[in-house]
Amino acid sequence: MIIKMKQIKKIFKFTGLALIIAASLTACDQGSSQQASVEKVPSVSGQVTLTSADAQKFLYDVAKEMVAMNLEGSRAAWIYANFITEDTAILAANADQKSTDAGVRYAMQAATFDQVDVNAVQRRQLNFLKQRLVMPAPQDPSKSAELATIGAKLGSIYSKGSYTTKAGEKLSLGDMTAIMANSRDYDELLEMWSGWREISPEMKPLYIRQAELANEGAKGLGYPDLGAMWRSNYDMPADDFAKELDRLWGQVKPLYDDLHCYVRTELGETYGTDKVPQDQPIPAHLLGNMWAQSWGNIYDLVAPEDADPGYDVTKQLAIHNYDEIDMVRGAEKFFTSLGFDALPETFYSRSLFTKPADRDVTCHASAWDLDAKDDIRIKMCIQKTGEEFNVIHHELGHNYYQRAYKDQPVFFQNSANDGFHEAIGDTIALSVTPKYLKEIGLIDTIPDESKDIGLLMKQALDKIAFIPFGLMVDQWRWKVYSGEITPENYNSSWWELREKYQGVAAPIDRDVNAFDPGAKYHVPGGVPYSRYFLAHIQQFEFHRALCEISGNTDPIHRCSIYNSKEAGAALNTMLEMGSSQPWQQAYKVITGSEQMDASAILDYFAPLHIWLKNKNQGKQCGF
């Protein structure tokens, strides 16, 4: 039995245990037989009324039940991820069903307090219980069951998806993404791109019905539609949140436009301007990624001349005899240098660091918090590479966040908003600079600033290229849920938004019945996507602010907060808040402002942006 990706995703939303990962998520909550109750008080008229005291008792009962569920479910999930068998899959699936049922029950009961006069903390906790449901089920049991069945079917279609090539070779998504990353054959790339999208047309009628049912569930909780419910999870009016994302994108767009122009030119030289017209969007299959969401895999095609920084972290790890545990302990020292406590010994005895030879495991890196106390772990099959060294720093960022908010009530044991957790992990990774590598003895000299362009280009191809994609996925879904985009226009509207925001186009005409959104995991999986956009904005602002707190005098892209107790203290203050306060208050702790500001991205990539503008002189940019 294979556990469905949608099921796993729901559980992560419920517990906040680990990363939301694009293709594979693995953690669960185990339900209990306890029932949270709502005491009802008869009014003088005989009608039932609820009071603040009723809300407090309800929240107390729910918290007690959730603590037990989270611990049991976390253990079930950990066992499944590390010992993949039919039995452990069944245990994980059972835990999923129980946690999902509990989540629906909590949300419906929390909604009964919508008109009750409660204090601010109670209201925040009640809203948490309502808003954590990603796909709220209608109160009709038959429709609720139908929604669950649709979710399982969509997950199954995606997870079982494959493509048989013209040569008769059957390929998995993993096989195809590897080809997309490494091939430079135009026709082979086109076959992979179009082949993967053959899996999704059958999703369309299921997706239509899922949207109808989830909208009904959202309305039952007091929201106009599911998109409005998702947007209401950010401590501001739903419409204001949408405007805020557009404002932030407007700040980044000039940098993206220049990166796009340069990359399109280089691709035109590789494939010919007949295949990559210089006044049109870039064909989506040429950017090294199945979804054209990040472009780092084509660095070799667009790398600046003389961009080699003069060192290779992978080779340096080997020279200094780092094994997998040394890499983890090295990353831990980053955090202790900031003033954080060392990791508990159980972290090292219970985590998974290398791929076992005797069993199947889920290798995709993730951070875990099993008991909301000190049982924190990572799970990854570490490769001794520079990239993995960065990833370990990122994962420990999650673990230290989890540990920092452990004393918060269970409702608030999560990041300030759903972008913060990823942003914190990436903020830490931004400090893995040449300066840091020299301080810990991995390299001997820091390359001069002439080498920065290559390093910045590598980052921009992943981080800047992603930002418009991170924005448009939910732009499309919000319009679907509101009814602005109707089923007959699902696919055409998807590509209109991709051209508008990314300057990326389908490489071939799409059939009227195509459902290309379904070829991206998060759409059939029902995973909100704005969190990834937010994380890409927030990490640079956090990095800039922490560098200022640390007294850094280097350019922001060269800064590392390693060894700064001042930066560590500010970071810890924010992390300890969990989600107990509106995210704006947590933001202010580090940045001094309650409003996000994407200018930090422009500051970070300023040398690259100047270089791109020079390269683009005389070219026809825009799409």
Side-chain angles (χ1 to χ4, degrees), residues 45-198:
S45 65
Q47 294 181 336
V48 172
T49 60
L50 295 170
T51 68
S52 177
D54 297 323
Q56 190 57 50
K57 184 179 188 308
F58 166 68
L59 291 167
Y60 174 83
D61 290 343
V62 168
K64 186 176 180 181
E65 184 176 350
M66 283 179 65
V67 169
M69 276 197 298
N70 289 354
L71 179 57
E72 294 179 28
S74 299
R75 287 172 174 163
W78 179 264
I79 291 169
Y80 172 67
N82 290 279
F83 300 87
I84 299 175
T85 68
E86 286 191 12
D87 291 327
T88 58
I90 290 170
L91 291 173
N94 288 342
D96 168 55
Q97 185 60 53
K98 291 177 182 178
S99 67
T100 300
D101 291 345
V104 172
R105 171 164 50 87
Y106 296 156
M108 294 303 178
Q109 290 179 307
T112 65
F113 293 97
D114 281 353
Q115 305 306 317
V116 178
D117 185 16
V118 297
N119 64 44
V121 174
Q122 291 171 330
R123 179 59 63 200
R124 189 165 183 83
Q125 292 174 336
L126 291 165
N127 285 341
F128 163 80
L129 291 174
K130 288 172 55 181
Q131 294 169 347
R132 68 192 178 135
L133 287 176
V134 176
M135 286 289 166
Q139 297 187 45
D140 182 329
S142 64
K143 290 182 178 179
S144 178
E146 183 185 2
L147 181 62
T149 300
I150 289 172
K153 287 181 179 177
L154 287 169
S156 179
I157 293 169
Y158 191 95
S159 62
K160 293 180 180 178
S162 64
Y163 168 66
T164 301
T165 68
K166 297 173 183 177
E169 183 181 6
K170 186 176 181 179
L171 301 176
S172 67
L173 175 58
D175 297 328
M176 288 183 274
T177 54
I179 293 171
M180 295 289 289
N182 297 296
S183 175
R184 299 296 178 253
D185 183 304
Y186 185 96
D187 293 329
E188 182 180 34
L189 291 169
L190 181 58
E191 184 181 2
M192 295 301 102
W193 186 93
S194 58
W196 175 242
R197 282 155 183 77
E198 291 180 5

Side-chain angles (χ1 to χ4, degrees), residues 90-392:
I90 290 170
L91 291 173
N94 288 342
D96 168 55
Q97 185 60 53
K98 291 177 182 178
S99 67
T100 300
D101 291 345
V104 172
R105 171 164 50 87
Y106 296 156
M108 294 303 178
Q109 290 179 307
T112 65
F113 293 97
D114 281 353
Q115 305 306 317
V116 178
D117 185 16
V118 297
N119 64 44
V121 174
Q122 291 171 330
R123 179 59 63 200
R124 189 165 183 83
Q125 292 174 336
L126 291 165
N127 285 341
F128 163 80
L129 291 174
K130 288 172 55 181
Q131 294 169 347
R132 68 192 178 135
L133 287 176
V134 176
M135 286 289 166
Q139 297 187 45
D140 182 329
S142 64
K143 290 182 178 179
S144 178
E146 183 185 2
L147 181 62
T149 300
I150 289 172
K153 287 181 179 177
L154 287 169
S156 179
I157 293 169
Y158 191 95
S159 62
K160 293 180 180 178
S162 64
Y163 168 66
T164 301
T165 68
K166 297 173 183 177
E169 183 181 6
K170 186 176 181 179
L171 301 176
S172 67
L173 175 58
D175 297 328
M176 288 183 274
T177 54
I179 293 171
M180 295 289 289
N182 297 296
S183 175
R184 299 296 178 253
D185 183 304
Y186 185 96
D187 293 329
E188 182 180 34
L189 291 169
L190 181 58
E191 184 181 2
M192 295 301 102
W193 186 93
S194 58
W196 175 242
R197 282 155 183 77
E198 291 180 5
I199 72 157
S200 52
E202 67 174 305
M203 295 179 183
K204 185 175 179 180
L206 294 169
Y207 192 83
I208 293 169
R209 181 58 176 159
Q210 182 190 61
E212 293 172 351
L213 292 170
N215 267 343
E216 184 177 338
K219 289 175 182 177
L221 293 173
Y223 300 96
D225 58 66
L226 182 59
M229 179 177 165
W230 286 4
R231 296 193 302 277
S232 297
N233 207 19
Y234 294 95
D235 298 304
M236 61 174 65
D239 290 343
D240 288 356
F241 178 68
K243 294 175 183 176
E244 179 72 352
L245 298 193
D246 282 335
R247 180 186 68 80
L248 293 166
W249 166 236
Q251 289 184 276
V252 180
K253 190 176 185 298
L255 172 58
Y256 177 83
D257 286 349
D258 278 314
L259 178 67
H260 179 282
C261 186
Y262 170 75
V263 168
R264 183 174 61 188
T265 300
E266 298 301 300
L267 291 175
E269 292 184 5
T270 299
Y271 295 104
T273 55
D274 57 326
K275 290 184 170 64
V276 188
Q278 297 298 290
D279 58 350
Q280 295 179 28
I282 299 171
H285 66 307
L286 300 180
L287 290 161
N289 176 271
M290 181 61 79
W291 306 276
Q293 69 184 55
S294 58
W295 307 346
N297 290 323
I298 62 166
Y299 177 74
D300 61 305
L301 299 182
V302 303
E305 294 181 7
D306 194 30
D308 184 355
Y311 68 87
D312 183 322
V313 176
T314 300
K315 291 180 180 178
Q316 292 302 117
L317 290 169
I319 291 171
H320 290 82
N321 297 312
Y322 272 63
D323 62 18
E324 294 84 357
I325 302 300
D326 292 330
M327 292 170 69
V328 178
R329 293 214 180 261
E332 179 188 12
K333 288 179 182 177
F334 182 96
F335 290 90
T336 57
S337 84
L338 301 180
F340 289 91
D341 290 339
L343 293 166
E345 277 308 308
T346 53
F347 172 87
Y348 286 97
S349 64
R350 298 173 183 176
S351 290
L352 178 76
F353 300 121
T354 58
K355 181 174 174 55
D358 61 343
R359 66 181 191 270
D360 292 328
V361 300
T362 302
C363 276
H364 205 123
S366 55
W368 295 66
D369 175 13
L370 272 76
D371 65 355
K373 294 177 182 177
D374 287 305
D375 192 356
I376 49 179
R377 314 176 188 180
I378 62 171
K379 177 191 59 57
M380 58 187 295
C381 304
I382 297 173
Q383 305 295 312
K384 290 180 282 189
T385 66
E387 180 180 358
E388 294 277 276
F389 193 51
N390 270 33
V391 170
I392 295 168

